[in-house]
Amino acid sequence: MAAAAAFHPPRRKRRVFESYESPFPVEVGGKDFRMCQAEILHNNVIVRNPEDIKQLYNKGYFGKGILSRSRPVYSISDPSLVTKWQGANINMPIITAKKYQYHVQWAKSVLQEQGLDGCSVTKILENYTKPLELPLLEENGAKQTSASCNRMGPSTENTELSRQPSADTGNVVDPSPEDEDKGCKKACLEGDLAFDPVRGPKEQERSDLKEKAEVSCQEGGFLAHCGCKAEESTKQRSCAMMKSKECAPEYVLVQEEEECSVCPEDETSHGQESLVKKEKLVCRRNPFRIFEYLQLSLEEAFFLVYALGCLSIYYGEEPLTILKLWEVFSEVKPDFKTTYMAYHYFRSKGWVPKVGLKYGTDLLLYRKGPPFYHASYSVIAELVDDNFEGSLRRPLSWKTLSGLNRTTANASKELMLCYLIKPSDMTEKDMSTPECMKRIKVQELIVTRWVSSRERCEKEEL
């Protein structure tokens, strides 16, 4: 093995469908500055607000979607159905009836875990998932009221919006006192978002009514099943939800089929009727809502807090200070200080570091971001003293180093050893704050495989 400082240009991806916005989620001069919010959940840092997710990922490619490969673009909507019904001006997810039944079954299991009997669960779900007539927003902002979209048979190409009778659509109205004792309260029929079985009663009491509705949509609550909103009518709440992109998964359009008889126009076949399947989109509430969150690595989260100052991380109700985050992250991940110093160094150099776990390393370095270039380097970070001595996190033998280098080379990357050199007089107390990075020096070492035949040919050519 030999060490060489031969830098190669990054490999650009062939198909790039986006523009490069900004290296960091901050604006020059403080214009349009946005303070994002995250929280610690099970030793992970997640961002729930869709606007914060868009800000952090699009400007700097921080984090990854928990339901997506990288970019947080997950949607429950079926792409084939969206293409099929693109003629109808709809701003809601479209799913199949089979997929909707999965959501109903998941919500049923959640309610059963809460100790409800089978009869109550059935009544709650029947009232909650009945067809609705809700306003659909057109592109120009005008409201359009319709209960379902109908498509006649597979051979019919046009789509049309039709109105069902109120008995079929199950319009959301305030129930009479006689209906209140039928296994579900008023909020069952109105879809009250203020109460969420996943969040629990304590968290519900912290926020006011407006915040409860927003958080319930963002946190992906399963089923709103009790509570009351006296000051809001159902129609006003439905319109507000349809205007908000964050609450869009609260309602879904389900493609369903029904058989109907059609009389042929041919006079010779008078009196004969043929059965055709009519496909229609029925608007229903989604009893089990799935939302995309942005998961930040500990290094990314601390960089946003410490270096950029555009993120607040909460644990419970209070935001954590920089010193507290440094302490907490070091407890969660014992080698956090080492990996963060390397992350901070490469981010400051203009690289976009991502977690390199799938290649057996600490970091992967991208130019601009993953959508534009393939990763150029796989980085292993080590903290050593002035004499390059210390308790190495990853002691490498010749065999393991050769295997790691071959794995990296097969992925068209280069293996880099990043040594973080601390002064010999630096103590653990000095390392208890991120200010210790001011005294750290960095030494990079690129590892390449020495091939005797290649070296012999190059010398002969010279």
Side-chain angles (χ1 to χ4, degrees):
M1 305 291 291
F7 292 90
H8 302 284
R11 289 196 310 122
R12 187 174 180 85
K13 291 188 175 180
R14 295 180 179 179
R15 298 180 181 180
V16 179
F17 303 99
E18 62 181 276
S19 59
Y20 184 67
E21 291 190 21
S22 172
F24 298 120
V26 293
E27 298 292 338
V28 179
K31 297 181 179 179
D32 300 327
F33 178 78
R34 179 185 179 89
M35 177 62 71
C36 301
Q37 181 175 331
E39 62 181 279
I40 297 179
L41 182 65
H42 304 303
N43 294 334
N44 295 300
V45 181
I46 62 172
V47 181
R48 300 180 184 271
N49 188 288
E51 292 298 327
D52 293 346
I53 293 175
K54 181 179 179 181
Q55 177 87 352
L56 295 178
Y57 190 85
N58 290 350
K59 297 183 178 181
Y61 302 98
F62 292 91
K64 69 174 297 294
I66 62 172
L67 301 176
S68 306
R69 293 186 59 184
S70 181
R71 179 180 292 276
V73 292
Y74 173 81
S75 174
I76 64 172
S77 189
D78 191 335
S80 61
L81 294 183
V82 173
T83 304
K84 181 179 180 180
W85 292 92
Q86 61 183 354
N89 195 5
I90 298 169
N91 294 322
M92 285 189 291
I94 306 176
I95 61 176
T96 61
K98 184 177 181 181
K99 187 174 182 179
Y100 184 76
Q101 288 302 318
Y102 286 150
H103 288 224
V104 175
Q105 291 297 325
W106 295 336
K108 182 178 180 180
S109 62
V110 172
L111 293 176
Q112 288 175 346
E113 291 176 358
Q114 297 177 358
L116 298 177
D117 59 280
C119 182
S120 300
V121 171
T122 302
K123 290 181 179 179
I124 290 175
L125 291 177
E126 286 179 355
N127 286 324
Y128 195 84
T129 60
K130 64 173 59 175
L132 300 175
E133 184 175 4
L134 295 173
L136 306 180
L137 295 183
E138 297 181 354
E139 292 181 357
N140 56 5
K143 292 182 181 179
Q144 177 183 4
T145 304
S146 176
S148 64
C149 306
N150 294 338
R151 180 189 291 266
M152 291 292 296
S155 61
T156 305
E157 297 296 332
N158 60 332
T159 61
E160 58 180 2
L161 298 177
S162 64
R163 181 186 299 273
Q164 292 181 347
S166 59
D168 296 333
T169 57
N171 293 333
V172 183
V173 295
D174 292 341
S176 60
E178 292 78 13
D179 296 330
E180 292 184 356
D181 58 345
K182 293 185 179 181
C184 183
K185 295 183 180 180
K186 176 180 178 180
C188 272
L189 301 177
E190 294 185 352
D192 188 358
L193 298 177
F195 288 81
D196 196 328
V198 179
R199 299 168 60 199
K202 292 183 179 179
E203 187 175 351
Q204 296 165 5
E205 296 173 357
R206 295 195 197 109
S207 310
D208 57 14
L209 194 59
K210 180 179 179 180
E211 291 177 349
K212 286 178 181 178
E214 294 177 352
V215 174
S216 178
C217 286
Q218 296 169 10
E219 293 188 1
F222 296 90
L223 180 65
H225 65 283
C226 59
C228 179
K229 281 187 179 181
E231 65 273 23
E232 249 187 331
S233 65
T234 304
K235 183 177 180 181
Q236 292 174 347
R237 182 163 56 255
S238 301
C239 294
M241 290 178 185
M242 293 307 301
K243 291 180 182 179
S244 176
K245 294 181 180 180
E246 299 178 8
C247 300
E250 168 71 11
Y251 298 93
V252 294
L253 293 173
V254 185
Q255 177 177 283
E256 300 178 356
E257 292 183 355
E258 65 177 4
E259 292 184 353
C260 60
S261 58
V262 178
C263 297
E265 297 180 358
D266 190 1
E267 298 180 356
T268 58
S269 58
H270 181 71
Q272 297 181 359
E273 295 182 352
S274 59
L275 295 178
V276 296
K277 290 185 177 180
K278 182 174 66 173
E279 296 175 342
K280 63 178 181 179
L281 294 180
V282 181
C283 181
R284 299 179 186 271
R285 288 191 185 90
N286 186 6
F288 192 95
R289 300 190 293 277
I290 304 175
F291 290 86
E292 178 84 286
Y293 301 147
L294 185 71
Q295 182 177 357
L296 299 173
S297 67
L298 300 183
E299 293 80 9
E300 290 173 327
F302 194 83
F303 184 84
L304 291 169
V305 176
Y306 174 71
L308 301 183
C310 62
L311 181 69
S312 295
I313 301 179
Y314 286 73
Y315 184 74
E317 296 182 354
E318 298 181 358
L320 300 180
T321 63
I322 292 177
L323 293 179
K324 188 63 177 178
L325 286 174
W326 184 263
E327 178 185 350
V328 171
F329 288 171
S330 299
E331 292 178 358
V332 173
K333 186 178 180 181
D335 55 353
F336 167 75
K337 297 175 183 178
T338 302
T339 55
Y340 176 73
M341 290 178 186
Y343 180 93
H344 189 105
Y345 171 77
F346 289 114
R347 263 289 183 181
S348 303
K349 293 293 185 180
W351 294 96
V352 178
K354 305 296 287 186
V355 177
L357 182 61
K358 60 183 177 181
Y359 293 107
T361 57
D362 298 317
L363 298 173
L364 294 176
L365 300 185
Y366 292 86
R367 170 174 164 79
K368 288 188 176 181
F372 305 100
Y373 291 90
H374 295 279
S376 299
Y377 301 100
S378 295
V379 181
I380 293 179
E382 293 288 357
L383 183 63
V384 296
D385 57 15
D386 294 336
N387 299 321
F388 279 82
E389 296 178 353
S391 57
L392 299 180
R393 301 170 43 251
R394 196 191 300 251
L396 297 174
S397 63
W398 285 109
K399 182 183 294 186
T400 56
L401 183 60
S402 176
L404 184 60
N405 185 69
R406 180 178 289 273
T407 302
T408 305
N410 289 341
S412 300
K413 299 171 179 50
E414 290 185 278
L415 180 62
M416 178 186 294
L417 302 180
C418 178
Y419 290 100
L420 304 163
I421 307 172
K422 66 176 182 179
S424 301
D425 59 346
M426 181 176 287
T427 62
E428 288 296 329
K429 185 178 181 180
D430 297 332
M431 298 281 293
S432 61
T433 65
E435 295 298 317
C436 65
M437 289 189 294
K438 297 179 179 180
R439 303 177 60 189
I440 299 295
K441 298 180 181 180
V442 181
Q443 176 68 52
E444 304 166 1
L445 187 68
I446 298 178
V447 181
T448 58
R449 183 166 174 259
W450 185 79
V451 182
S452 59
S453 58
R454 184 191 307 168
E455 294 292 329
R456 188 181 302 111
C457 293
E458 291 178 356
K459 291 181 178 180
E460 290 177 358
E461 291 176 359
L462 294 177

